[in-house]
Amino acid sequence: MLKRWLLALATRVGLVALGLCCCLILFYFLACKPASGGGRQPQQWSGSATTKEGYMALLQEREDSHRHYINSLTKQIAQLKEALQERTQQLQESLDKAKIRGILPQGLDSLHKTPTQSDLKEFFRSQLNQAEVNAGVKLPSEYALIPFDTFTLQRVYQLETGLTRHPAERPVRKDRRDELISTVETALHVLNGPQQHVDNTQRKHTYSPSDFIQGLTRTERDRGTVYDLTLRGDGPQDFTRLVLFRPFGPVMKVKSESVNTRSMTINIIVPLSKRADTFRQFINNFREVGIHRDGRVHLTVVHFGRDQIDQVKAVLDQTTRETRFRSFTLIQLNEDFSRGRGLDVGARAWRRSQNVLLFFCDVDIHFTADFLTSCRLNAEPGKKVFYPVLFSQYNPSIIYSNQTLLPSLQQQLVIKKESGFWRDFGFGMTCQYRSDFINIGGFDRSIKGWGLEDVHLYRKYLHSKLMVIRTPSRSLFHLWHEKSCADELPPDKYKMCMQTKAMSEASHSQLGELFFRPQIEAHLNSQKQMIRGTS
């Protein structure tokens, strides 16, 4: 009985398997059946004209097929992005609800805080809305207005405080030059992009850099930078104006460190020649600030020639007796004065084992304890050198000509446009470590007399990997003194010396007052006569 049942089962399974094989064979023949005569004939790969036309038609068909396939993939990608954004939004809403209820699963808290692309867009949009781009804002005074810089492809025209600035400057800084050029390139890309052709089907003009006329730019430090660009249009009276905005992101922490300056000794190096009276004034400032208030300084004086050397020694001996301060080095060189040579000799004369911070200083410089702190904080061996911009004093006899007595020196040391100017063309006062000075090669010893040696050293640091800290210093002053330009100087140095002398006398308005004094006095006399005639 069991055998019959197994036999019947095997028969049935065989019949079913046979039926499936027949179906598969039938499907195979149907799939491999050639196309009917009404369909497209296979291409004949011969050299006839008909074959060439068919080949081109086949290529066109394949190109259309690829184009449709690309369009289909583009649509699918867009749909996937939309779906992903929707799912991200749903997930964010779920996480927000879970966060509010306090049931957020462990490990998902960081996901809850992750910003999305929409968050960044919203932040940038808020920066744009808060900046003065689309509409003006109320300002408390004329000093609160941020002026624009005008720029072309070749020059930048900017407003700067002080009369020593050049009204038109080339963007010599690479980052500034690249910024403006990339902005113009972005504008051309936007104007020549396909979206512009969709918005304006009539426009056929393609913009090039030669169409760029000028741009306006200004930076709001807490918002971003706006660029207002003007380009030529289709006609002589037609123009295209494009406004771009680069928003700033939030402040991010770079590093936080503690700096202990207790063991940082500053070696103040002063080159000197035939200026004993000025040296006495310098020592008074050194005693007050360097010895009494700071105490972590060393003074190196490099004196050229034998004239007045005894007076210099007497001043140092007197300082030692009265203050018991013995951290002095006096070096005498029997040769013609050379500032670079004196500073180089003074820097290399340090014989102690530890590295030392150098302050290259002139005898007519007045510094405070705050400056010594800035010197220590802004210089770091192997990393940073400090090049402060000092405030240069005008001629006190001109500034205070309306006063019977000149104010005291401390009263004269105020930073305002009537009393002096930022000496941004000078690079002589600097703080740098001795190791960096030696590794950079020191001063150019071939330079004699006045000028250029400090510029050459400054350029060496600019060409190195060290960071140059260049900033105005409110605690470093250049005291006015009569400047004489020697006849033996070459023409370029003599011209620089005379320019410095002219700028150091008085402000523009004060010099104008001196120049027009006869006209001013004549006007005053005429006014007095008119008053007398009417009385």
Side-chain angles (χ1 to χ4, degrees):
M1 188 70 179
L2 181 59
K3 291 182 178 180
R4 291 180 180 178
W5 183 80
L6 291 175
L7 182 61
L9 179 61
T11 304
R12 293 176 182 177
V13 171
L15 292 175
V16 172
L18 180 63
L20 289 175
C21 291
C22 293
C23 292
L24 291 174
I25 294 172
L26 180 62
F27 287 148
Y28 175 77
F29 280 113
L30 290 176
C32 296
K33 183 180 180 181
S36 61
R40 183 168 54 251
Q41 295 295 328
Q43 300 295 327
Q44 301 295 325
W45 297 96
S46 63
S48 64
T50 305
T51 303
K52 183 177 180 180
E53 293 176 355
Y55 176 64
M56 297 301 296
L58 179 61
L59 289 179
Q60 184 65 37
E61 180 185 359
R62 291 186 177 181
E63 183 178 352
D64 294 339
S65 175
H66 285 298
R67 185 181 298 108
H68 291 315
Y69 181 66
I70 292 173
N71 292 336
S72 175
L73 288 179
T74 303
K75 291 180 180 179
Q76 293 180 26
I77 292 173
Q79 292 174 357
L80 289 174
K81 285 184 177 180
E82 184 178 357
L84 178 61
Q85 186 175 1
E86 182 179 355
R87 293 294 298 172
T88 302
Q89 185 176 358
Q90 293 176 357
L91 177 61
Q92 189 67 33
E93 292 176 355
S94 301
L95 291 173
D96 291 337
K97 293 179 181 179
K99 186 72 174 178
I100 295 174
R101 296 178 182 178
I103 58 174
L104 186 67
Q106 186 177 3
L108 293 181
D109 188 62
S110 60
L111 180 62
H112 174 76
K113 298 179 181 179
T114 302
T116 62
Q117 186 177 3
S118 60
D119 296 332
L120 294 177
K121 290 182 178 179
E122 183 179 354
F123 169 74
F124 292 149
R125 181 62 60 179
S126 67
Q127 292 287 88
L128 174 61
N129 294 334
Q130 295 176 34
E132 191 178 2
V133 177
N134 295 319
V137 297
K138 294 182 179 180
L139 300 176
S141 67
E142 68 274 16
Y143 301 106
L145 177 69
I146 302 175
F148 281 90
D149 292 341
T150 303
F151 68 94
T152 64
L153 292 177
Q154 292 80 26
R155 292 186 179 276
V156 176
Y157 303 86
Q158 54 191 353
L159 293 177
E160 295 285 354
T161 58
L163 295 169
T164 61
R165 301 284 185 177
H166 299 290
E169 295 183 351
R170 293 183 181 273
V172 292
R173 281 179 55 110
K174 185 178 184 301
D175 56 349
R176 178 65 165 165
R177 183 175 64 252
D178 293 347
E179 172 201 352
L180 298 179
I181 292 177
S182 65
T183 301
V184 176
E185 291 176 349
T186 301
L188 297 177
H189 177 74
V190 171
L191 293 176
N192 295 328
Q195 186 62 32
Q196 293 292 324
H197 293 278
V198 172
D199 296 341
N200 187 2
T201 56
Q202 301 297 325
R203 184 181 66 78
K204 298 181 180 180
H205 180 73
T206 300
Y207 292 91
S208 66
S210 60
D211 294 321
F212 174 67
I213 299 175
Q214 72 172 21
L216 305 179
T217 179
R218 71 175 178 183
T219 299
E220 297 181 45
R221 298 185 184 275
D222 57 342
R223 297 287 182 262
T225 303
V226 61
Y227 305 92
D228 192 335
L229 310 179
T230 302
L231 297 94
R232 294 183 181 88
D234 295 327
Q237 306 299 325
D238 298 327
F239 303 94
T240 298
R241 180 169 171 263
L242 182 64
V243 179
L244 304 176
F245 183 71
R246 177 181 284 119
F248 291 160
V251 176
M252 60 183 297
K253 177 182 176 181
V254 178
K255 66 177 179 180
S256 177
E257 60 182 357
S258 299
V259 181
N260 186 353
T261 64
R262 283 191 292 270
S263 59
M264 295 183 183
T265 300
I266 299 179
N267 184 11
I268 303 175
I269 304 176
V270 180
L272 187 62
S273 176
K274 302 178 183 179
R275 300 184 66 183
D277 294 336
T278 308
F279 183 68
R280 290 190 184 92
Q281 179 178 271
F282 174 84
I283 284 295
N284 290 334
N285 179 45
F286 178 81
R287 290 175 60 171
E288 175 64 26
V289 176
I291 299 177
H292 296 313
R293 299 189 59 184
D294 189 272
R296 294 161 293 164
V297 294
H298 180 91
L299 178 62
T300 300
V301 179
V302 182
H303 191 277
F304 288 82
R306 298 181 179 180
D307 192 9
Q308 300 184 2
I309 184 63
D310 294 335
Q311 300 179 38
V312 172
K313 290 181 179 179
V315 171
L316 294 177
D317 292 340
Q318 181 182 1
T319 303
T320 301
R321 290 194 307 269
E322 294 177 357
T323 63
R324 296 184 179 179
F325 185 82
R326 300 181 181 277
S327 192
F328 293 113
T329 299
L330 176 61
I331 303 173
Q332 182 181 359
L333 299 178
N334 294 322
E335 54 189 78
D336 293 336
F337 176 79
S338 171
R339 183 178 185 275
R341 163 74 170 158
L343 293 174
D344 194 271
V345 170
R348 298 176 187 273
W350 184 260
R351 291 292 179 260
R352 302 180 188 178
S353 58
Q354 74 271 22
N355 197 8
V356 66
L357 178 59
L358 307 176
F359 171 34
F360 295 152
C361 185
D362 288 342
V363 71
D364 48 21
I365 295 298
H366 184 280
F367 58 89
T368 68
D370 290 338
F371 171 75
L372 297 180
T373 300
S374 299
C375 184
R376 293 183 175 99
L377 293 177
N378 290 304
E380 188 174 353
K383 294 184 178 180
K384 295 187 297 183
V385 293
F386 184 37
Y387 271 85
V389 180
L390 53 84
F391 192 77
S392 189
Q393 183 189 32
Y394 287 139
N395 189 345
S397 61
I398 297 178
I399 302 173
Y400 307 103
S401 59
N402 58 344
Q403 300 184 21
T404 306
L405 296 176
L406 291 180
S408 65
L409 179 60
Q410 293 298 329
Q411 292 175 331
Q412 294 180 28
L413 299 179
V414 291
I415 298 177
K416 57 182 181 179
K417 64 179 182 179
E418 296 84 6
S419 60
F421 63 98
W422 291 113
R423 204 181 187 91
D424 59 342
F425 53 84
F427 307 94
M429 299 336 113
T430 171
C431 295
Q432 54 197 265
Y433 275 86
R434 183 178 181 272
S435 57
D436 296 327
F437 177 78
I438 299 298
N439 292 334
I440 207 71
F443 285 104
D444 185 351
R445 302 183 185 183
S446 63
I447 298 177
K448 304 296 182 182
W450 183 91
L452 291 183
E453 80 286 335
D454 50 355
V455 180
H456 287 183
L457 180 64
Y458 182 69
R459 289 172 180 169
K460 285 184 180 180
Y461 281 117
L462 293 180
H463 297 158
S464 72
K465 295 183 178 181
L466 274 71
M467 181 185 298
V468 177
I469 308 298
R470 179 75 167 164
T471 181
S473 175
R474 57 185 177 85
S475 51
L476 189 64
F477 296 88
H478 176 266
L479 303 180
W480 182 88
H481 59 87
E482 186 72 32
K483 181 176 289 294
S484 59
C485 300
D487 294 334
E488 59 269 16
L489 288 174
D492 56 342
K493 289 188 179 181
Y494 188 84
K495 184 178 180 181
M496 289 176 58
C497 183
M498 293 300 294
Q499 290 175 346
T500 304
K501 181 177 181 179
M503 286 186 292
S504 302
E505 287 297 313
S507 66
H508 187 269
S509 60
Q510 291 164 342
L511 290 177
E513 229 179 283
L514 293 174
F515 185 79
F516 294 110
R517 178 169 290 177
Q519 291 91 321
I520 296 174
E521 291 179 351
H523 177 74
L524 292 176
N525 292 332
S526 64
Q527 291 293 320
K528 290 178 181 179
Q529 291 177 2
M530 290 178 59
I531 294 175
R532 291 174 184 175
T534 56
S535 59

